[in-house]
Amino acid sequence: MSEITDFDSLRRAMAENGEQPEGPARNARAEQLLVEAERLDIPLAVIEALGHQLKVYNYSSEKAKMFVPFARLLRMWDERPEDFDEYETHSLHWVFKWMSAGMLDQPHVPLASVEKWLGEMEHRYRLAGHSTRAVRSAEFSVAAHVGDVERAERAFSAWLAADRDTMADCHACELHGQGWWQAERGRDAEALALWAPVLEGEYTCAHEPHTVLASSLVPLLRLGRPEEARANHLRGFRLVRSMESMRGAYADHVEFCALTGNEARGLELLAERPAYFTDEGHPHSKLEFLSVVVLLMERLSELGLAGQRVPGPAGREWTAPELAEHARVEALALAARFDERNGTSYVSERARARMAQQPLVERLPLGVRAARPTSAVAAATGAAAPAPVQEAVEPDLAVLLAEAQRLSDTLQPHAVEAWARVARLAEEVDGVELDARDRAEIADHEAIGLGPDGAAAFEHAAELYARAGDPGEALAARARAAYVRALTGEIDEALAAVAEPYDRVLALYAEGDTEVPQAAGVLMGRARILMRRVHEAEGEVVDEAVLAEAEAAVRELLALVEGRAGTDVRLAARVAEGHAMLAELATHSGNPQAGAELFARAAAEFLATGLPWFAVEYEARLAGLAHQLGDMREAERALRAALEHGGPYLEAVGRAQLHLQLAEVVGGRGDAEEAAEHALESAHWADEAGAGPTLGAWARHQLGGFLMRQGRWAEAAEVLESALAELTAETHGDGAVVQTQWWLGDCLSELGEHRDAAERRLQAAEIARHWPEQHDHATLAHLAAESLGQAGLPTEADQAYARAGELWRGLGNVHGLVRSLRARAWLALRTEDGTDAARDLMASAVEECADAFDAADDDEARLRLVSELGHTHRQFGDLLARSAAEDADDDSIRATLEEALSQMAEAVAVFVALGEATVHARTGAELAAGWLETDLGRPAAAAARARAVLRAYADAEADNDPDAYGGSDEDGEHGTVRARRAEAEQLLQAAEEQMDR
């Protein structure tokens, strides 16, 4: 901490403190600096220190402390206004607005005092010659706060009608307030129209677009625009997360989570800010925060999660109902204090209404990690307890039996559950005895529900079918029992078990003692077992005999059922599954084209039979084969069909996988927006399936990349940070971890968070350091160096550039090496006595280009090296020109500028040799050289350079050729031409004026 010895050191200290994070530590430092200012015995120093104190209090949770320093400032102004300079005079009047808002947010300040202050503000603004715009804005805030709608509307109109002047809030803040009122009055579309310039980045300030993004969330949901609300949540929460003073905006984000089925994320947000439960410095934002805490806790209780442990005030553990009650009592007590002060019930009414809101969207996937919260009881058992099912009417056993039979005969979903309901009711009703056939069906479907554990139940079903006089179905049930043994890896045992049913059913069928469906059931069971033997060899060379035996079994099945299905859905399904088996065998035999055709046929047959949910698996397999064959259009079609046909019957993990595959395919053809939608859905369904740390993390990784490609940096950063919490080298590969860190570094760099960007890039570089190929390592080290330099850490940046340079040299990448040397030169110039080091580094860059040119044996490589040399000379000239110290003697400055001009001339010569491909680089260097000529008192030479630039672009605007000068028909290209011509004309005019003097 620097010592305060004079006014300059005080100002430096206040500037440094202003850059610190919001909070008590910054406030305490401001208080200490005021003491130091008083010791200097300079009135303006005290005034500035009081202003600094006011500012840090305002941007913190200790807003109530603002009034004392402001009162002192106002007294100093009234006693000796001459002690205030122009800036502090403006600041004093500016913070009048903070005081009026600050008083309104403190219920202990009487409303009469607020009104009196409003009058004082209007009086002083009039004396200072300011517009009434800020005064009417403050009056509007008072009226809106107490619920005086009529006065608020009058003040609102007067606010907008008054002239904007230097006392008016910035455009961003004004638009926020205006839009907030429209939303309060139920005019959501009008609010969003007002907020649009802030949301789009046209107007910004210290607290915007932070608050507009937060305020827009519920209006967007009410208007049915959830995707925009999601984007604004991800963007906005990043902005307010670290800002202690933004509890109200933070509350808006918690509210958004409670209203969109994102209760788990809402709990995470509460856990990040435990102090928000207790901070007393700004009662109004505490009321807003506690109100949405109640909303979130009530939502958890409605979901049956009353036992959920939740984050709350420190010192004890909380459940959702306990925290809801605590927050409700505190919030309503605060609201009552405001209402008592205001003489209305408006604040309490608004608080209760906010607490009582119902969800606006059942479930809005956000892309970040989100597992539904579970109760304490459910967490202990590993699953949430199912909700009891209430029967609307007394069920009829005959009706249930008929429905179960219909569902199973037509292979409909939920047949297993239907037969289970029959079994339960039969047990509950006295005197009911189901016949053997019905009991066989119940056992059969119970076995289906048990999956690989159903062998015994299938055997029991076989016994019951036999008692019911259906030996064929009994054999089919035994075949099913054998198949589930194969599912557990007992393939040889399964084949042995199915051998007898196979021989017997064929004999029965030949004698006419069983029908096609029963015989097909046994043949299908045997074919499935033989296909399991093929599957067990996945990744290995499958024995030809294994393939042949399986194919023979499938073709035997098809020979039995093809052409005989008629209206029998089960037989039609056997045909489709048989063709799907042949598709698998074709792919195993090295014929993916035939496999794709057969999968397409199987899927079409399932659809024609009215069983689209059975087509899903084969459409997904078809998509994989189409991808392998390079037919991306067919892959995309098949994936879309799988999602459509799966409908509500797809399991969550299957839906997640299909969406992720579709995201990759759609993203591959360049549609990043739709790809992001599918990746988002994939992440959501992976979380629902409990696969968040595996499939979900990969989906978030992909989603972050697709958001980046759209330039949605803040959303991408939030998603990528969430992905990194679960991505691991063991599960996803270290390449995925590095890519995610890399992308996140790029996002943070775009957002201006350079220190964090450097950290991410360095973490990625550390992993890539161990890879055999070192290009990624070098690139990441170089990017990290850029971020370190932009973060104001020149020493660390130089070290990183030096490391990158070594890596580039080792890779034989001269361009990377030269650029690292140039970057180090610029960094060196920023240090004390770094001019010599900067010169040496630039000279080394020039030498590296020349040496590489001599060693190159490829014309294209030489051309690129010449271009790199031209840019290096140009930067060398810029660096030398900037290094000319203003306090040096004239001869020294002139010598440095001459040297800079020499480098510029070299750059021009290089770019001239390269022709029209580098015209912009040449004209840029030419203009820089021309300005140096004027500095050296050579106007004729400067004018000649200006004319050369104008000649270079003489026909550019007339031709309006989009391909002129190697560019494209973009505004940037033509803008460069216009800017260069304008600068050349400016240089020419300056040179001619210099010649005339």
Side-chain angles (χ1 to χ4, degrees):
M1 192 175 293
S2 57
E3 183 181 357
I4 308 302
T5 57
D6 53 27
F7 202 172
D8 287 341
S9 61
L10 174 69
R11 283 173 165 164
R12 284 195 299 271
M14 289 190 295
E16 290 169 5
N17 192 47
E19 296 298 319
Q20 297 305 306
E22 294 178 354
R26 187 170 76 157
N27 295 353
R29 176 60 173 157
E31 291 161 6
Q32 181 184 354
L33 290 173
L34 176 59
V35 174
E36 298 285 352
E38 289 167 339
R39 290 175 182 157
L40 296 177
D41 197 25
I42 301 173
L44 186 57
V46 175
I47 291 167
E48 290 189 13
L50 285 166
H52 174 65
Q53 197 177 79
L54 261 173
K55 183 175 182 180
V56 299
Y57 284 156
N58 185 58
Y59 293 115
S60 80
S61 62
E62 298 180 307
K63 292 178 184 287
K65 291 184 174 182
M66 290 193 301
F67 304 115
V68 172
F70 183 73
R72 184 176 172 187
L73 269 174
L74 197 57
R75 186 173 65 252
M76 293 175 71
W77 168 262
D78 289 338
E79 292 173 355
R80 289 180 56 84
E82 64 272 15
D83 288 340
F84 288 70
D85 62 14
E86 183 179 357
Y87 178 81
E88 293 303 326
T89 300
H90 178 274
S91 297
L92 175 69
H93 287 81
W94 180 268
V95 296
F96 262 95
K97 299 179 295 183
W98 294 359
M99 293 305 106
S100 60
M103 288 179 178
L104 204 59
D105 292 334
Q106 302 290 333
H108 69 274
V109 178
L111 190 62
S113 297
V114 177
E115 295 284 8
K116 180 181 178 182
W117 187 258
L118 191 60
E120 179 74 9
M121 178 181 175
E122 183 167 12
H123 171 67
R124 289 181 180 267
Y125 271 40
R126 188 182 302 113
L127 288 177
H130 296 307
S131 165
T132 61
R133 189 177 182 92
V135 179
R136 298 286 77 83
S137 172
E139 182 188 3
F140 159 76
S141 298
V142 173
H145 172 73
V146 302
D148 187 343
V149 175
E150 185 178 343
R151 182 187 179 193
E153 291 283 18
R154 285 198 310 271
F156 186 84
S157 298
W159 168 21
L160 269 60
D163 293 335
R164 278 189 58 83
D165 67 351
T166 57
M167 282 298 113
D169 280 340
C170 74
H171 279 289
C173 289
E174 282 208 329
L175 289 173
H176 173 250
Q178 293 161 17
W180 173 85
W181 182 241
Q182 299 292 355
E184 276 292 296
R185 304 302 300 153
R187 300 185 286 262
D188 291 332
E190 291 87 341
L192 287 158
L194 282 164
W195 287 333
V198 183
L199 294 172
E200 293 164 7
E202 184 178 347
Y203 300 123
T204 61
C205 70
H207 275 185
E208 295 298 352
H210 314 42
T211 55
V212 164
L213 285 164
S215 296
S216 72
L217 299 175
V218 171
L220 283 167
L221 293 173
R222 289 194 297 240
L223 288 171
R225 294 157 63 178
E227 294 80 10
E228 293 173 65
R230 173 178 56 233
N232 287 2
H233 168 65
L234 294 176
R235 284 176 59 200
F237 184 67
R238 287 190 63 80
L239 295 173
V240 303
R241 172 182 267 149
S242 62
M243 298 182 72
E244 185 201 42
S245 64
M246 302 204 72
R247 180 163 52 182
Y250 201 98
D252 291 340
H253 287 280
V254 177
E255 177 184 46
F256 166 82
C257 293
L259 297 178
T260 57
N262 287 286
E263 297 83 11
R265 180 162 172 87
L267 293 176
E268 291 175 5
L269 268 56
L270 295 188
E272 284 192 31
R273 281 291 186 179
Y276 277 174
F277 287 98
T278 53
D279 282 344
E280 302 290 347
H282 191 240
H284 195 264
S285 68
K286 184 179 182 182
L287 167 60
E288 292 174 324
F289 181 76
L290 292 174
S291 297
V292 300
V293 169
V294 175
L295 172 67
L296 179 59
M297 295 306 112
E298 293 287 355
R299 180 65 185 143
L300 290 172
S301 295
E302 289 168 11
L303 292 170
L305 301 169
Q308 171 78 36
R309 291 192 181 92
V310 295
R316 57 162 288 185
E317 290 187 345
W318 298 88
T319 62
E322 290 168 345
L323 183 58
E325 181 61 21
H326 169 81
R328 186 188 303 279
V329 169
E330 284 215 0
L332 293 178
L334 268 174
R337 289 175 58 200
F338 278 109
D339 284 342
E340 183 180 4
R341 187 270 302 272
N342 299 339
T344 69
S345 59
Y346 184 67
V347 175
S348 294
E349 290 168 2
R350 290 186 75 249
R352 287 192 176 91
R354 196 170 195 186
M355 295 174 190
Q357 292 176 97
Q358 291 300 308
L360 295 170
V361 179
E362 182 180 351
R363 184 73 161 145
L364 178 62
L366 301 180
V368 293
R369 289 183 302 153
R372 280 200 182 276
T374 57
S375 68
V377 173
T381 60
V389 176
Q390 300 293 330
E391 295 286 352
V393 295
E394 187 70 26
D396 180 87
L397 183 59
V399 172
L400 288 183
L401 263 172
E403 177 63 7
Q405 195 65 59
R406 183 189 71 80
L407 292 174
S408 56
D409 286 348
T410 56
L411 298 179
Q412 298 296 305
H414 309 308
V416 170
E417 295 85 348
W419 282 106
R421 285 195 295 273
V422 170
R424 285 196 301 272
L425 186 59
E427 289 176 1
E428 293 168 2
V429 178
D430 293 335
V432 171
E433 181 67 33
L434 294 173
D435 63 30
R437 178 72 192 201
D438 290 337
R439 286 185 285 119
E441 291 274 17
I442 289 171
D444 210 356
H445 285 83
E446 178 189 355
I448 294 171
L450 291 171
D453 299 322
F458 276 128
E459 293 288 358
H460 178 52
E463 294 173 7
L464 293 170
Y465 280 125
R467 289 181 205 169
D470 192 341
E473 198 61 52
L475 292 170
R478 288 179 59 192
R480 290 191 283 276
Y483 174 60
V484 297
R485 293 185 68 182
L487 292 177
T488 64
E490 301 176 9
I491 295 176
D492 291 339
E493 294 83 351
L495 283 171
V498 82
E500 183 195 355
Y502 171 71
D503 291 337
R504 285 187 59 193
V505 83
L506 290 179
L508 284 173
Y509 180 68
E511 296 167 3
D513 292 332
T514 194
E515 302 295 329
V516 171
Q518 290 75 24
V522 177
L523 267 59
M524 177 59 80
R526 181 170 177 271
R528 285 172 174 170
I529 293 168
L530 289 167
M531 288 299 297
R532 287 302 302 175
R533 194 161 65 172
V534 174
H535 296 156
E536 288 293 314
E538 195 84 50
E540 303 174 7
V541 177
V542 182
D543 188 274
E544 290 293 335
V546 171
L547 290 171
E549 189 175 4
E551 183 175 353
V554 175
R555 293 197 180 280
E556 183 181 18
L557 166 71
L558 289 171
L560 175 67
V561 297
E562 276 190 303
R564 298 179 181 177
T567 59
D568 190 326
V569 172
R570 291 190 177 203
L571 286 181
R574 301 291 191 208
V575 174
E577 187 176 350
H579 289 137
M581 288 176 171
L582 291 179
E584 290 186 66
L585 292 168
T587 59
H588 278 285
S589 300
N591 190 349
Q593 185 63 53
E597 292 169 1
L598 283 163
F599 275 131
R601 179 177 178 179
E605 287 168 340
F606 275 121
L607 293 175
T609 307
L611 303 172
W613 46 87
F614 282 112
V616 172
E617 177 184 351
Y618 307 115
E619 286 164 335
R621 296 289 299 276
L622 170 59
L625 285 176
H627 197 294
Q628 178 185 334
L629 293 166
D631 188 350
M632 305 312 294
R633 180 173 301 198
E634 175 64 4
E636 183 176 339
R637 185 209 62 77
L639 288 168
R640 291 188 190 280
L643 281 168
E644 177 189 350
H645 297 144
Y649 309 113
L650 264 178
E651 291 186 358
V653 69
R655 193 177 295 277
Q657 290 167 337
L658 288 172
H659 275 296
L660 185 57
Q661 292 174 57
L662 190 51
E664 292 170 350
V665 171
V666 172
R669 63 170 168 76
D671 191 342
E673 186 172 351
E674 187 186 349
E677 292 172 5
H678 288 295
L680 176 69
E681 287 294 323
S682 178
H684 164 64
W685 289 109
D687 289 338
E688 290 289 306
T694 50
L695 181 60
W698 182 256
R700 278 182 268 280
H701 159 83
Q702 296 280 44
L703 173 58
F706 292 132
L707 290 170
M708 268 191 63
R709 282 164 58 177
Q710 299 173 67
R712 295 160 66 177
W713 309 109
E715 296 168 68
E718 195 74 9
V719 169
L720 292 168
E721 285 173 350
S722 182
L724 278 172
E726 292 174 329
L727 281 173
T728 65
E730 294 75 21
T731 302
H732 305 93
D734 57 5
V737 178
V738 167
Q739 183 64 79
T740 305
Q741 295 275 26
W742 193 328
W743 281 341
L744 181 53
D746 291 348
C747 290
L748 295 171
S749 179
E750 291 288 342
L751 294 169
E753 300 174 31
H754 299 299
R755 189 182 292 262
D756 290 339
E759 181 180 352
R760 295 300 186 179
R761 288 166 166 175
L762 288 170
Q763 288 170 349
E766 179 58 27
I767 299 173
R769 182 170 68 88
H770 304 286
W771 292 354
E773 209 291 314
Q774 288 288 284
H775 186 272
D776 285 344
H777 182 200
T779 303
L780 285 162
H782 200 113
L783 290 170
E786 287 182 7
S787 293
L788 289 165
Q790 290 168 320
L793 300 168
T795 302
E796 293 84 348
D798 182 72
Q799 292 170 350
Y801 274 125
R803 175 62 181 147
E806 293 172 7
L807 292 166
W808 291 129
R809 189 185 297 279
L811 289 166
N813 189 319
V814 180
H815 300 278
L817 172 59
V818 168
R819 288 166 191 177
S820 67
L821 288 168
R822 293 198 309 237
R824 291 181 67 196
W826 284 106
L827 284 170
L829 195 63
R830 290 159 55 183
T831 63
E832 290 185 16
D833 303 322
T835 303
D836 291 340
R839 287 168 176 265
D840 291 343
L841 286 163
M842 277 294 185
S844 295
V846 171
E847 291 171 9
E848 293 291 348
C849 286
D851 292 346
F853 180 85
D854 292 339
D857 55 5
D858 176 82
D859 288 343
E860 185 177 346
R862 286 196 186 96
L863 199 63
R864 289 181 62 228
L865 285 166
V866 171
S867 177
E868 197 73 72
L869 178 62
H871 288 294
T872 304
H873 279 304
R874 166 67 199 269
Q875 288 200 33
F876 202 166
D878 285 336
L879 181 140
L880 289 168
R882 198 168 300 179
S883 72
E886 292 182 2
D887 56 355
D889 60 80
D890 291 346
D891 290 343
S892 175
I893 293 174
R894 188 173 187 84
T896 301
L897 294 180
E898 290 281 8
E899 191 178 356
L901 180 59
S902 174
Q903 291 292 335
M904 288 296 181
E906 291 282 357
V908 171
V910 169
F911 292 134
V912 166
L914 290 171
E916 292 301 318
T918 58
V919 65
H920 294 326
R922 170 165 62 91
T923 56
E926 194 87 72
L927 288 168
W931 290 113
L932 286 169
E933 301 275 22
T934 62
D935 290 339
L936 290 166
R938 300 169 186 164
R945 292 190 182 278
R947 293 189 184 98
V949 172
L950 292 171
R951 281 196 303 274
Y953 294 126
D955 300 324
E957 291 186 0
D959 293 345
N960 198 24
D961 180 2
D963 296 320
Y965 310 110
S968 60
D969 192 14
E970 299 286 340
D971 185 61
E973 172 69 18
H974 297 305
T976 299
V977 173
R978 288 193 295 271
R980 291 287 161 79
R981 286 176 61 90
E983 187 179 353
E985 288 167 355
Q986 184 182 4
L987 174 61
L988 183 59
Q989 181 180 353
E992 289 173 346
E993 289 174 356
Q994 194 176 45
M995 283 187 282
D996 291 339
R997 286 201 293 270

